[in-house]
């Protein structure tokens, strides 16, 4: 059985960017492949403090992250669905070290996300963990022989790094020890998308919406008060073109709103673009999107509230037993390959 795997780092409150870019595709794929794939939806909690966080809040954030997966529609009664915390499967960290030693420093240094995050004025402590995180991510993927990893466009470079590491190790030892994750184009096709998805910041639509962004107005967080979230949409940055068009280069703010509107209502983007073609009132478009966001958040938050901590514990017990078994098997095979075991 093939494995489909994804995770959302538990640092800050996830945004609708995470929801639309990672949760929705994963949940759609989990439905589509309910019987022919293993579906691993994990919480990459060791990735949480590659940038500074409030550690007192981390544990609750992790548990909430799992509630979000369930509330988003993941079928936890499907025996092929596995939810687990990275930190509770020690093989991730051990595999990361081995992969570190098969990753050229130069290649790791090219990661644009590290360049961006390490030069971000808000980031006062640039750790080795931040530099190393794409290699831990490679371990997250390669331990489970995952071929498909639904993720947003910002992660494609890290995916490519994971592919390169897998190919390098396989070639060096002349063995198909790792399944090579599908390349970017194939991933996008598998998700039934034309391009990778990048929801934009509401303040600066040339940038992506990020949960770690300090400006609250730039993002819609999943725990935002629905009415406040609607206000953020109403004050989103647009442009002075004066006509509604889908044009990510010249009208990224408007295009972003059209994208959010389509995805939240589960409609093809082309249909939403057609609805608004030629219209000139940015206010009307914002009101419609604000309504969709408000409606979505109110519903989602109600579903989250209905999931108990006990539900989460049960799901984790099962998921972590499975993950440890699969990951340890792979780790042992790799330890043998590199000469650590007979
Ligand atoms: P951070 O600022 O902490 O890096 P993030 O919002 O980038 O937060 P991640 O935890 O790094 O979130 O990413 C989790 C998943 O969400 C990844 O698959 C990523 O590609 C996806 N994702 C993140 N931001 C967006 C976005 N703006 N649009 C679409 N997908 C996104
Ligand atoms: Mg990110």
């Amino acid at each position: 059985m093939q494995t489909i795997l994804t995770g959302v780092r538990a640092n800050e409150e996830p945004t609708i960017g995470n929801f639309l870019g990672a949760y929705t595709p994963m949940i759609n794929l989990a439905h589509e492949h309910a019987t022919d794939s293993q579906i691993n939806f994990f919480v990459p909690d060791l990735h949480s403090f590659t940038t500074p966080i409030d550690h007192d809040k981390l544990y609750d954030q992790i548990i909430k992250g799992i509630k979000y997966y369930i509330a988003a529609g993941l079928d936890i009664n499907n025996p092929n669905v596995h939810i687990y915390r990275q930190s509770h499967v020690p093989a991730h960290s051990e595999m990361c070290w081995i992969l570190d030693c098969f990753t050229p420093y130069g290649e790791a240094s090219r990661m644009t996300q590290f360049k961006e995050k390490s030069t971000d004025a808000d980031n006062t402590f640039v750790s080795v963990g931040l530099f190393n995180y794409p290699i831990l991510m490679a371990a997250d993927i390669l331990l489970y022989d995952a071929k498909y990893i639904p993720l947003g466009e910002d992660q494609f470079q890290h995916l490519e790094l994971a592919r390169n590491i897998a190919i390098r190790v396989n070639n060096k030892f002349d063995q198909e020890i790792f399944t090579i994750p599908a390349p970017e184009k194939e991933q996008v096709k598998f998700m039934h998308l034309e391009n990778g998805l990048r929801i934009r910041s509401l303040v600066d639509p040339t940038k992506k919406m990020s949960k770690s962004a300090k400006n609250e107005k730039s993002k819609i967080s999943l725990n935002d008060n629905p009415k406040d979230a609607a206000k953020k949409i109403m004050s989103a940055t647009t442009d002075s073109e004066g006509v509604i068009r889908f044009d990510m280069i010249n009208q990224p703010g408007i295009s972003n709103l059209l994208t959010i509107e389509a995805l939240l209502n589960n409609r093809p983007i082309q249909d939403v673009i057609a609805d608004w073609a030629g219209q000139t009132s940015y206010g009307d478009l914002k009101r419609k999107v604000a309504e969709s966001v408000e409606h979505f958040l109110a519903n989602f938050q109600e579903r989250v509230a209905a999931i108990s901590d006990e539900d989460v514990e049960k799901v984790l017990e099962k998921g972590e037993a499975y993950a440890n078994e699969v990951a340890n098997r792979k780790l042992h095979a790799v330890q043998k390959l590199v000469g650590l075991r007979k």
Side-chain angles (χ1 to χ4, degrees), residues 198-265:
R198 175 183 288 245
I199 300 297
R200 307 305 178 102
S201 152
L202 299 177
V203 171
D204 177 359
T206 62
K207 296 211 174 106
K208 84 172 192 80
M209 187 182 286
S210 277
K211 64 172 136 55
S212 62
K214 291 278 172 288
N215 188 343
E216 286 296 328
K217 284 191 170 157
S218 71
K219 55 184 181 181
I220 305 281
S221 300
L222 294 181
N223 69 348
D224 272 354
N225 173 298
K227 291 232 174 321
D228 294 344
K231 282 188 203 137
K232 290 188 199 174
I233 295 287
M234 292 310 294
S235 60
T237 303
T238 51
D239 55 67
S240 53
E241 301 268 323
V243 58
I244 297 173
R245 271 188 300 243
F246 188 86
D247 176 349
M248 271 297 181
I249 308 289
N250 299 306
Q251 296 187 263
I254 291 292
S255 308
N256 192 38
L257 293 177
L258 290 167
T259 306
I260 292 172
E261 174 65 10
L263 292 171
L264 283 182
N265 293 296

Side-chain angles (χ1 to χ4, degrees), residues 9 18 113 117 133 154-155 208 210-212:
R9 203 159 80 102
N18 302 128
Q113 197 163 104
K117 289 204 160 139
Y133 117 72
D154 59 303
Q155 291 292 342
K208 84 172 192 80
S210 277
K211 64 172 136 55
S212 62

Side-chain angles (χ1 to χ4, degrees), residues 44-62:
D45 52 355
L46 292 171
H47 289 286
S48 302
F49 40 100
T50 51
T51 45
I53 58 159
D54 179 351
H55 288 267
D56 290 338
K57 289 190 187 149
L58 181 58
Y59 193 82
D60 290 343
Q61 195 74 44
I62 293 165

